[in-house]
Amino acid sequence: MACGFRRSIARQLSRLLDLPPENLIKSISAVPISRKEEVADFQLSVDSLLGNNNDHSRPDVQVQATRLAEKLKCDTVVSEISTGQGTVNFKINRELLTKTVLQQVIKDGSKYGLNSELFSGLPQKKIVVEFSSPNVAKKFHVGHLRSTIIGNFIANLKEALGHQVTRINYLGDWGMQFGLLGTGFQLFGYEEKLQSNPLQHLFERLGVHFDEYSGESFYREKSQEVLKLLDSKGLLQKTIKGTAIVDLSGNGDPSSICTVMRSDGTSLYATRDLAAAIDRMDKYNFDTMIYVTDKGQKKHFQQVFQMLQIMGYDWAERCQHVPFGVVQGMKTRRGEVTFLEDVLNEIRSRMLQNMASIKTTKEVENPQETAERVGLAALIIQDFKGVLLSDYQFSWDRIFQSRGDTGVFLQYTHARLHSLEETFGCGYLNDFNTACLQEPQSVSILQHLLRFDEVLYRSSQDLQPRHIVNYLLTLSHLAGMAHKTLHIKDSPPEVAGARLHLFRAVRSVLANGMKLLGITPLQVFLCCQIQHAPHHNGKSIC
Ligand code: ARG
């Protein structure tokens, strides 16, 4: 995939350079669309081909790019070859591009982009993702909300890529009277307790599920075994206070000392994490284990992984901490918000208020649910737009802007495209005239659809959702512009059919991306003006 175009370009290059096509594929990338100029479809970076760093100014790179371009020939796939800064650029035969991309999007459905040559040969791995992990005796904190949506995204993405994913919610239940998990889940109404709280409610909207609920109290005994093991390996040092420590530096550096036992002999957070990691390795034999928590726990995880390493568990290197930053300024109308239920209530009430304040052309069956879905999409997009590690300033007004780069805009676009299909039907899906989709707006959309696999690839590499978010926002903007000019209603059937096909493909990819992010795409949105978007004051945006 990228519809096989990369492979086809790589084959020609491979003959010329005497390198296997597999080695060339990752140097060929789809060119991001530009508002200013028409761009080629793919580019080969000469630097990455030669394994150099990205310094396009060096003349020899340019010379090599030109030389290479001169030797390459157009064929049935490539219709134009040119050079850019340190790149060789390829334009794909327009009809082939149109047909292949659209057919592939429809044929692959939710798998579009995931069958790409970029992922070929990717071994199927066993991946444990631990996320959410609230402290059950306390109220759920916004940080746990962040962990929940980020962890869910990572698990969704890994699963979509064909890995076997185990989702664990590791509850902070230490110090609760009975150590609820250890003594029996249902017996003490733990599950019930969990179900009645807002996080559970959030899981059900978001479609978040866990394969295992475990908790710190579960590792009471196993922590004692860990302490014995540390002792038997000579790694445990008793202090005069009666506590026990592990000195990770080996030279007494205080910043590398980890306390693993209290003076009364009980375990600490880190000890229980060691026990939990060992237990999970026994149980799941994972290739990778990912922990999603706020960045304040960075040192904790570094130390836990290091301790596993010195205990002789080589698989410690398969453990990874994905840290995220702090959300600042999340306030309700009543004041500072720290708890999840406040956030959910605020989302619902703000969205309902927005919806009520405007004339609607459609009756929404379940306004509460719609409000919540739009609101959660808004929250997730705001959260995923930047680098996860960065702190960010929260703004209710910004997240609800309908035409800004928001989740509201994505939901709105999805519903609007869906209603196009509802209105005009999709009877033309297997047969359409590619010649009807050659306007710049259509070509930009096709070029953008071509890049979806690369964006998925990037996010799978650095576990950052922002690549997908930015991609979907651009896709929605392109769809909005195309919707204005590529009319369906008054166009001849052939043109209308081809356009519908294009819009259907956009909706499908938009839905795929949204689902990966943990957003449920809406089929019906309100024809509404969003109150918090001042530039649309008084006007309907439909
Ligand atoms: N319950 C902890 C907290 O709220 C987070 C647990 C993170 N996971 C772990 N394995 N330590 O801070």
Side-chain angles (χ1 to χ4, degrees):
M1 247 260 327
C3 307
F5 294 133
R6 258 190 230 106
R7 190 169 289 284
S8 161
I9 296 170
R11 261 193 231 119
Q12 202 190 142
L13 280 165
S14 132
R15 285 192 290 272
L16 211 63
L17 302 169
D18 204 18
L19 286 168
E22 277 63 38
N23 296 15
L24 298 163
I25 280 173
K26 295 221 169 98
S27 304
I28 303 168
S29 54
V31 182
I33 53 146
S34 152
R35 278 182 196 214
K36 292 194 213 104
E37 53 184 4
E38 200 191 313
V39 292
D41 303 314
F42 287 95
Q43 60 186 23
L44 169 82
S45 153
V46 175
D47 259 329
S48 88
L49 190 67
L50 303 174
N52 300 339
N53 51 13
N54 268 356
D55 180 5
H56 295 320
S57 57
R58 279 183 296 115
D60 58 327
V61 173
Q62 206 54 38
V63 171
Q64 293 195 40
T66 312
R67 271 203 207 130
L68 198 55
E70 279 165 5
K71 285 190 199 147
L72 288 160
K73 292 196 178 59
C74 293
D75 53 20
T76 49
V77 175
V78 176
S79 64
E80 234 176 84
I81 297 167
S82 56
T83 53
Q85 283 214 324
T87 63
V88 179
N89 301 341
F90 303 87
K91 183 171 169 180
I92 304 295
N93 171 305
R94 281 291 163 258
E95 297 226 337
L96 189 67
L97 176 84
T98 315
K99 206 176 196 78
T100 317
V101 172
L102 296 189
Q103 281 179 350
Q104 193 93 43
V105 172
I106 304 302
K107 179 172 148 268
D108 286 357
S110 62
K111 288 262 163 257
Y112 178 73
L114 296 161
N115 297 330
S116 161
E117 59 251 10
L118 292 179
F119 300 111
S120 70
L122 187 82
Q124 210 210 37
K125 299 237 168 100
K126 292 193 213 98
I127 301 180
V128 170
V129 188
E130 190 227 90
F131 63 104
S132 193
S133 307
N135 301 322
V136 277
K138 299 188 194 144
K139 275 197 165 190
F140 291 100
H141 194 273
V142 177
H144 297 125
L145 171 65
R146 246 201 133 181
S147 171
T148 306
I149 61 176
I150 295 169
N152 185 48
F153 160 71
I154 293 175
N156 287 349
L157 182 64
K158 294 284 182 189
E159 209 159 72
L161 288 170
H163 300 300
Q164 190 187 320
V165 177
T166 304
R167 299 157 187 250
I168 298 182
N169 196 337
Y170 178 69
L171 303 162
D173 59 354
W174 193 255
M176 291 187 68
Q177 209 183 352
F178 299 104
L180 294 168
L181 275 174
T183 31
F185 204 67
Q186 269 126 17
L187 190 61
F188 295 97
Y190 205 28
E191 205 166 7
E192 219 169 84
K193 185 173 166 59
L194 213 63
Q195 253 148 30
S196 65
N197 80 45
L199 198 71
Q200 192 62 29
H201 177 64
L202 182 85
F203 293 163
E204 278 156 25
R205 289 287 171 264
L206 293 177
V208 178
H209 67 275
F210 293 95
D211 302 297
E212 179 185 309
Y213 278 95
S214 93
E216 293 184 44
S217 70
F218 188 80
Y219 294 104
R220 192 180 295 273
E221 276 93 50
K222 288 197 165 93
S223 295
Q224 294 304 320
E225 287 168 29
V226 166
L227 289 172
K228 278 196 204 120
L229 198 64
L230 282 167
D231 201 20
S232 70
K233 291 189 181 266
L235 297 166
L236 204 68
Q237 296 176 25
K238 289 266 168 64
T239 67
I240 34 173
K241 288 186 219 147
T243 61
I245 58 157
V246 175
D247 175 8
L248 287 162
S249 66
N251 61 16
D253 172 5
S255 66
S256 303
I257 283 181
C258 186
T259 308
V260 287
M261 191 187 83
R262 288 205 170 83
S263 53
D264 62 4
T266 56
S267 62
L268 277 110
Y269 184 51
T271 333
R272 299 191 281 274
D273 255 330
L274 292 174
I278 296 166
D279 182 48
R280 289 172 195 173
M281 181 38 108
D282 283 349
K283 211 158 150 190
Y284 301 112
N285 189 22
F286 56 79
D287 297 292
T288 306
M289 173 152 65
I290 297 168
Y291 296 86
V292 185
T293 78
D294 66 274
K295 63 182 181 188
Q297 304 208 28
K298 212 168 161 180
K299 187 168 172 198
H300 163 78
F301 284 106
Q302 268 168 5
Q303 292 195 329
V304 168
F305 302 161
Q306 230 181 319
M307 278 193 278
L308 287 169
Q309 193 68 259
I310 62 170
M311 286 167 86
Y313 296 117
D314 288 343
W315 49 261
E317 63 191 27
R318 302 186 207 168
C319 298
Q320 183 185 356
H321 177 218
V322 175
F324 55 82
V326 177
V327 185
Q328 288 150 343
M330 203 184 233
K331 288 183 192 149
T332 55
R333 295 184 185 103
R334 286 175 289 120
E336 193 79 36
V337 177
T338 26
F339 302 119
L340 185 61
E341 60 222 278
D342 300 319
V343 178
L344 292 180
N345 289 340
E346 188 81 7
I347 283 179
R348 209 178 303 111
S349 77
R350 285 198 185 238
M351 280 313 298
L352 281 172
Q353 202 190 357
N354 285 341
M355 289 157 132
S357 69
I358 16 135
K359 279 194 215 109
T360 63
T361 54
K362 267 195 185 137
E363 277 299 313
V364 171
E365 265 176 38
N366 190 343
Q368 291 266 354
E369 194 177 313
T370 305
E372 212 166 85
R373 286 207 177 162
V374 176
L376 284 171
L379 197 77
I380 290 175
I381 294 301
Q382 155 116 336
D383 204 88
F384 284 0
K385 257 203 285 194
V387 179
L388 293 178
L389 193 58
S390 318
D391 300 340
Y392 73 87
Q393 189 66 35
F394 187 85
S395 153
W396 287 109
D397 287 349
R398 211 175 41 231
I399 77 166
F400 285 141
Q401 277 176 12
S402 61
R403 286 272 165 119
D405 283 345
T406 62
V408 182
F409 175 51
L410 293 189
Q411 286 288 28
Y412 166 71
T413 306
H414 184 272
R416 200 176 188 199
L417 292 169
H418 186 265
S419 100
L420 263 188
E421 286 169 36
E422 293 254 290
T423 314
F424 297 102
C426 282
Y428 310 83
L429 285 183
N430 290 321
D431 191 20
F432 62 97
N433 185 349
T434 51
C436 299
L437 294 174
Q438 301 308 323
E439 314 79 353
Q441 292 97 325
S442 302
V443 174
S444 292
I445 289 181
L446 292 164
Q447 288 180 318
H448 196 59
L449 292 177
L450 206 53
R451 280 188 67 229
F452 191 51
D453 59 347
E454 278 178 30
V455 171
L456 296 176
Y457 184 76
R458 267 208 210 174
S459 283
S460 75
Q461 293 295 296
D462 63 8
L463 303 183
Q464 298 285 330
R466 70 194 161 103
H467 311 299
I468 298 176
V469 169
N470 292 331
Y471 176 89
L472 297 181
L473 289 167
T474 304
L475 185 62
S476 297
H477 284 295
L478 288 174
M481 285 187 293
H483 196 258
K484 274 197 205 123
T485 47
L486 306 179
H487 299 143
I488 289 173
K489 198 165 155 216
D490 304 317
S491 302
E494 200 180 32
V495 176
R499 288 178 179 174
L500 270 175
H501 202 119
L502 182 74
F503 285 123
R504 154 90 196 262
V506 171
R507 191 192 59 75
S508 171
V509 175
L510 184 60
N512 291 352
M514 287 166 81
K515 286 184 204 157
L516 281 178
L517 297 175
I519 298 171
T520 313
L522 278 178
Q523 308 213 324
V524 184
F525 194 70
L526 292 170
C527 259
C528 65
Q529 162 233 344
I530 304 293
Q531 197 191 12
H532 296 282
H535 46 289
H536 293 114
N537 218 4
K539 275 198 226 146
S540 162
I541 56 169
C542 290

